[in-house]
Structures are given as C-alpha cells and as structure tokens.
Amino acid sequence: MNIPSLYRTTRYFHWLSAFIMLGLISVGYYMVYWEVWALYPTHKSIGVLALLVVLPRALYRLQKGLLTPTSAVSHHQQKLIEAAHWALLAGTILMPISGMLYSGFGGYGIDIFGFTLVASNYIDSAAVPYNETIFILAKAAHSYIAYGLTGLIALHILGAFKHHLLSKDVTLLRMLGRA
C-alpha cells in the first residue's frame, strides 16, 4: 500500500503531539489534584520540549492545510470540524507557552532536565514572581487551556469513532496508517 508522504508526516506529527499532550495534561491533573509536586520538574521539562514538536506541526498545518475529509459532510459541519482542528492546534501551542510564562514569571524558573533556561527566584524557600501580573494571567491561562484542550481532545476522539463506527469511512484507518 502506497501511502502519500503528506499522510505519513501528518500522522507522525499527530500521534507524537497527541501522546505528549495527553501525557502532560494527565500528569498536570494528577499533580494538581493529588498535590504530587515531585513530578513538576519533569512536567515542565517535557512541556518546554513539546514546543519542538507542536511548533513544526503548526507550521506544517499552516502550509499544507487540513486533510480533505474522507466522507461528505455539510458545509456547516465542515466549518465546525475545521474550527475544532485549529483550536486543538492552537491549544497545543498555547499550553506549553502559558506554562513557561507561568513558571518563568512566577519565579519558579524554567529548566529542561537540569539545564536552566530561566533562573528561579526564591527567597526564604518561597518563589517570588518576576512579574506578578504575567504570572497570574499565565497561571489562569494554563489551567483554562488544559480544561479546553481536554474537552476538545475528548470530542476529537469521539469524532474519530463516529467516523469509524457510524459513517463507516476511512478517517480513523487513515490516521492509524491502514488506509
């Protein structure tokens, strides 16, 4: 089976971004709800490195556009699907950026597995924000983007199953490399 390189590249970026973002969001929820802060340095490191995947993916998407649908949908459905895909893409970019702003301006610093990009700012074992306004806005944005992305990812997964089980088209198979 000869799969066009466009589909291979798209699939590679899609799944790599998906696993990274799902992992980061899952760890983020786990850290916050169970107060497991020992995972924070790893979460931040992988979050910064996520930009190395999601930025090229975004540029690729902007250059190539979205893939053509594998089944007929109404004009309104197609616009909604496109908006959801662009929102997912924007969220995968804004999530790590807001996290970096939150951590960096919050005085927590930004490290990638021990390599310091932005020094922390601790006084008496408490982080002191470099800029409290940016810190507060970025912290809120990081949280809201996480919730928004979680919802969009759930809809995206449901949409893939809808295509496969109800529409009986090859959308899911194409993303799995089987069509």
Side-chain angles (χ1 to χ4, degrees), residues 5-21 50-64 89 92 175:
S5 64
L6 173 67
Y7 294 149
R8 274 194 305 272
T9 304
T10 297
R11 194 170 46 254
Y12 170 75
F13 274 135
H14 173 272
W15 289 111
L16 188 55
S17 297
F19 287 126
I20 291 169
M21 295 311 291
L51 284 173
L52 298 175
V53 173
V54 297
L55 284 177
R57 179 173 191 236
L59 293 172
Y60 184 83
R61 264 295 134 242
L62 287 170
Q63 181 185 28
K64 301 290 183 181
L89 191 62
T92 63
M175 289 313 297

Side-chain angles (χ1 to χ4, degrees), residues 33-133:
Y33 290 112
W34 295 99
E35 297 183 6
V36 182
W37 306 120
L39 297 172
Y40 194 58
T42 303
H43 177 80
K44 289 192 327 180
S45 294
I46 294 171
V48 172
L49 293 174
L51 284 173
L52 298 175
V53 173
V54 297
L55 284 177
R57 179 173 191 236
L59 293 172
Y60 184 83
R61 264 295 134 242
L62 287 170
Q63 181 185 28
K64 301 290 183 181
L66 297 174
L67 295 176
T68 55
T70 58
S71 62
V73 294
S74 73
H75 176 73
H76 295 310
Q77 284 178 317
Q78 183 58 31
K79 292 299 176 194
L80 187 60
I81 290 165
E82 289 173 5
H85 278 95
W86 290 116
L88 275 167
L89 191 62
T92 63
I93 294 167
L94 294 173
M95 191 70 173
I97 290 173
S98 65
M100 290 172 65
L101 292 171
Y102 162 23
S103 187
F105 282 100
Y108 299 105
I110 302 173
D111 295 330
I112 300 177
F113 298 110
F115 178 75
T116 301
L117 299 176
V118 175
S120 59
N121 188 28
Y122 283 91
I123 297 176
D124 296 329
S125 70
V128 178
Y130 288 112
N131 183 309
E132 193 156 350
T133 302

